[in-house]
Amino acid sequence: MTRPSTDHVLMTNAITWSHRSTCTRAQVGCVISRDGRTLATGYNGAPAGMAHCDHTCDCRRMNYERHPNYPFRAHRPDCRSELPCTNVVHSEANALAFAAKYGVATGGASIHTTRVPCMTCAGLLINAGIIRVVWLEKHRDMTGWARLAEAGLEVVQWGEEGVQNDVQPTSP
C-alpha cells in the first residue's frame, strides 16, 4: 500500500484551503501543523464581515483604449487589476490570528503554504516560533523567503516530486 507523505497531505490541504479565498487576484491557503497534525488553517481574504476584494479590470470605464500603449496592462497603473491588494489579510496572518484567538501554541510548528510568504508574513511566522516553511509557488517579491532563511528557518519548496531542497531565489 502506498501512503502519501505527511508533507503531501498538508500541502494538499493548503491547496484546498486556498479555494476559500475571497480575493479575485490570488488564492492562497496554508496549514500550520506540529508533528503532522493540523493546528490552524488560513486563506487570504478580507477581514471577517468586510467587503471582499475586487480586482476586476475596469479599464473600459477609464477609456484606456485611447492610450498609446493599449493593451499593455503594465501601462495602466490605475486599473484595479494592476493595483496591489490593500484589503486582504494574508493566509499566514489569518492562520496565526486563529491560533492566537483560540490559544493554540505555534512554537516549533511548520507551515505549508501555497505561496512564499511576503516580508510581513515572514516576520509574523518568525515571531510565532514557526521553524519550517514549505511553499508551493514563488511570490513576485521573494524578500520574505530571504528573511525566513536569514532567521534560520528551514525553508523548502514543494515540487512535483514532493519536498525539494530550496535554492537561492533569483530576481524576477
Side-chain angles (χ1 to χ4, degrees), residues 4 9-10 17 22-23 27 54 60 101 105 141 150:
V9 170
L10 292 168
W17 278 105
T22 61
C23 182
Q27 291 72 49
D54 182 7
R60 283 199 169 294
K101 183 176 181 178
D141 176 4
E150 181 183 351

Side-chain angles (χ1 to χ4, degrees), residues 1-13 36 158 161-162:
M1 176 167 124
T2 303
R3 289 176 66 193
S5 69
T6 302
D7 281 321
H8 179 85
V9 170
L10 292 168
M11 186 57 78
T12 301
N13 282 323
W158 177 265
E161 304 287 323

